[in-house]
Amino acid sequence: MARPRIAVVAVGGNALTREGEAGTYAQQWRNATKVAGAICRLVEAGYRPVLIHGNGPQVGNLSIQQEEGSRLVPAQPLAELVAMTQGAIGHLLSLALHHASTGTLGVVDIVTHVEVKSSDPAFRNPTKPIGPFLAEDVAGKLAAERDWVVREDAGRGFRRVVASPEPKAILEAAAIKELASKGFLVIAGGGGGIPVVRRGRSVSGVDAVIDKDLTAARLATSVGADTLVFLTGASNVFLDWGTPRQRAVAEMTAAEAEAHIADGQFAAGSMGPKIIAAVRFLADGGQQCLITSSRHLAAALAGSHGTRIVPTAGRMPASRRSAAAQ
Amino acid sequence: MARPRIAVVAVGGNALTREGEAGTYAQQWRNATKVAGAICRLVEAGYRPVLIHGNGPQVGNLSIQQEEGSRLVPAQPLAELVAMTQGAIGHLLSLALHHASTGTLGVVDIVTHVEVKSSDPAFRNPTKPIGPFLAEDVAGKLAAERDWVVREDAGRGFRRVVASPEPKAILEAAAIKELASKGFLVIAGGGGGIPVVRRGRSVSGVDAVIDKDLTAARLATSVGADTLVFLTGASNVFLDWGTPRQRAVAEMTAAEAEAHIADGQFAAGSMGPKIIAAVRFLADGGQQCLITSSRHLAAALAGSHGTRIVPTAGRMPASRRSAAAQ
């Protein structure tokens, strides 16, 4: 078909700064080139990717640097730190994509704002920990000074917690769609997007972190993508994880995925949001969602690996339905 | 005419964090809304602005935070810090433009890489101070550890100095031009752009700071702008500044501007690069360059204020040539 197939691809911040890594530039560059290689396979398979990345480890480090420097220069609000990570990680991924494609891809990183509602219930119950662990007295002082909410976290000290509201609209969606339609590989929505709330005809930054996977689904719908890809540490989605009945899923329908969510099959901080995002994207007209690792992406596109979630069983080839996973 | 007149508008980092300000978000927001108001006047006058901003005070603060936090998390390279300021300042200006235009402008901030040559003589003689003032022993230690060049600066201590090479090409120029042609107000080239050098078919970040005014000229030519605007603290360019013969310039040709440069009329760190950039832009086919303050921009567009630099005298109305400046 003449119209290119746009695929929104979501990459975790942990894919760039891995567990146990400090997050040096050299570490991030090495990891970014692996992600970029997978994206090039997607381009070769005829897709036009729009890339969205997480920023957990990076915004965490930046928060620490802001606090450590605060006796000398003013710390900036969280929305601004998210914007900084969009610049920094977008820059890194841009160069990695230039490198992996030997300069053949036109890559553009767009600083992206995502509207949330100030009435979102998440603002009444902030749950997302960000930034450094703090001693109780320091945490109390910062909470008083800056109107932070702080909570004890995992016995390791106190941390600031912020709301994780629902992404409602992507302010730069029209520009992203325009560039993707012209053949650019766009990087957008980094860290789930810079959270903003509407006040009349104005928008303001707000202290929150939007789930990157939910923003990915919103972005995919907004730019008319037919495919949504989540690159994860695992090759597949698994059911009954960690039990003797553990098995990889080759393919499931949105309805099956919803039933598994209801059964509590997926972890809240990890696979859960991806499955919820997949279901939303398919309900909004998306054709398929793939969940797999960078390494297995080419095989997943060819249908021989990874987990594919589709709107209804009727739209899947029977051969795939009955195929055993890996 | 049917084709919109694209105007590249350059705003100094000092317009966002002013002399004597610490650079809090509130200060930056207040200053950004003033810049945004001026940009809206430009839109009302029929121009389509592409906005480029400086980042001196902001990248300075970020460098301090990175150093202060370095015992806990790794400091990132300078190119990455420039990328962070593009995200942060672009975000700030995006929201300020939404605010000033009551949401009628489609604003997009693009993370922008600018190619420099590794053979640029600036790399053999770094002169641009960045980041905090350091004690001599700390400076020596950092120089040894990180391959920095440090210099004594103005009797206040030691500072890192980096090269300020010539901007040769803007990697995202095609995307910026595409969006501007579709009616978006694009923010690009922040801080002079993220400096990169080409190595084969790959590009890598490099420790340098590109002059934002020179990048503005390169950007204006690359996107087919007919107008280049420098917003400064002063309403006009002045000749014989600080002498009894001091006078504002209403209009001059590129040849006249070059003669004034040769006469040493303009300060190297301030008006000098703007005049050099204006001359380059006009030599490359630009129609006019305006230099004025945010407050006087509307009047400057109407021809009753500011300094206009044009390619040749023949293209100026005689009335303007003889008009006395303010």
Side-chain angles (χ1 to χ4, degrees), chain A residues 103 141 192:
Chain A
K141 185 164 167 284

Side-chain angles (χ1 to χ4, degrees), chain A residues 22-23 25 61 65-66 68 71-74 76 80 83 87 91 95 99 108-109 111 113 175 178 182 201-203, chain B residues 22-23 25 61 65-66 68 71-74 76 80 83 87 91 95 99 108-109 111 113 175 178 182 202-203:
Chain A
Y25 186 80
N61 278 2
Q65 291 163 330
Q66 296 269 319
E68 291 291 309
R71 72 188 168 85
L72 297 175
V73 296
Q76 300 300 322
E80 185 127 339
H91 150 64
L95 295 197
H99 182 76
V108 191
D109 176 31
V111 175
H113 297 86
E178 179 65 35
K182 287 292 188 299
R201 288 183 180 172
S202 202
V203 287
Chain B
Y25 187 80
N61 278 1
Q65 291 162 330
Q66 295 269 320
E68 291 290 310
R71 70 188 170 86
L72 297 173
V73 296
Q76 300 299 324
E80 186 128 339
H91 150 64
L95 295 197
H99 183 75
V108 191
D109 177 31
V111 175
H113 297 85
E178 179 66 35
K182 287 293 189 297
S202 200
V203 286

Side-chain angles (χ1 to χ4, degrees), chain B residues 33-255:
Chain B
T33 56
K34 286 175 193 163
V35 170
I39 302 298
C40 287
R41 300 299 85 73
L42 200 61
V43 173
E44 289 157 12
Y47 289 87
R48 186 156 299 163
V50 172
L51 188 54
I52 172 170
H53 59 81
N55 73 349
Q58 297 80 15
V59 81
N61 278 1
L62 203 45
S63 302
I64 291 170
Q65 291 162 330
Q66 295 269 320
E67 287 313 312
E68 291 290 310
S70 62
R71 70 188 170 86
L72 297 173
V73 296
Q76 300 299 324
L78 181 56
E80 186 128 339
L81 304 195
V82 175
M84 289 183 192
T85 65
Q86 287 190 351
I89 301 173
H91 150 64
L92 181 80
L93 287 170
S94 292
L95 295 197
L97 285 161
H98 275 284
H99 183 75
S101 72
T102 62
T104 57
L105 285 176
V107 186
V108 191
D109 177 31
I110 294 201
V111 175
T112 310
H113 297 85
V114 175
E115 189 185 343
V116 301
K117 297 294 177 194
S118 55
S119 59
D120 193 303
F123 284 108
R124 292 196 299 274
N125 180 30
T127 55
K128 179 90 185 160
I130 57 149
F133 285 91
L134 305 163
E136 186 166 2
D137 58 334
V138 175
K141 185 164 167 284
L142 286 171
E145 271 176 22
R146 305 199 195 170
D147 209 16
W148 283 5
V149 179
V150 295
R151 294 229 175 114
E152 205 278 331
D153 188 358
R156 294 174 58 195
F158 283 74
R159 281 180 93 187
R160 182 182 182 195
V161 288
V162 296
S164 188
E166 286 285 332
K168 290 297 182 185
I170 290 163
L171 266 59
E172 290 80 5
I176 296 164
K177 192 170 183 177
E178 179 66 35
L179 289 177
S181 77
K182 287 293 189 297
F184 291 97
L185 194 159
V186 183
I187 303 170
I194 306 165
V196 295
V197 290
R198 203 166 281 282
R199 295 203 174 100
R201 288 182 180 172
S202 200
V203 286
S204 310
V206 64
D207 280 356
V209 166
I210 308 173
D211 186 281
K212 173 258 305 165
D213 296 326
L214 300 184
T215 297
R218 178 67 63 188
L219 180 63
T221 302
S222 301
V223 302
D226 69 21
T227 298
L228 174 59
V229 180
F230 290 105
L231 294 181
T232 66
S235 58
N236 280 78
V237 175
F238 288 83
L239 293 176
D240 297 317
W241 177 258
T243 74
R245 297 183 59 238
Q246 175 180 316
R247 60 205 185 278
V249 179
E251 195 156 272
M252 58 183 164
T253 64

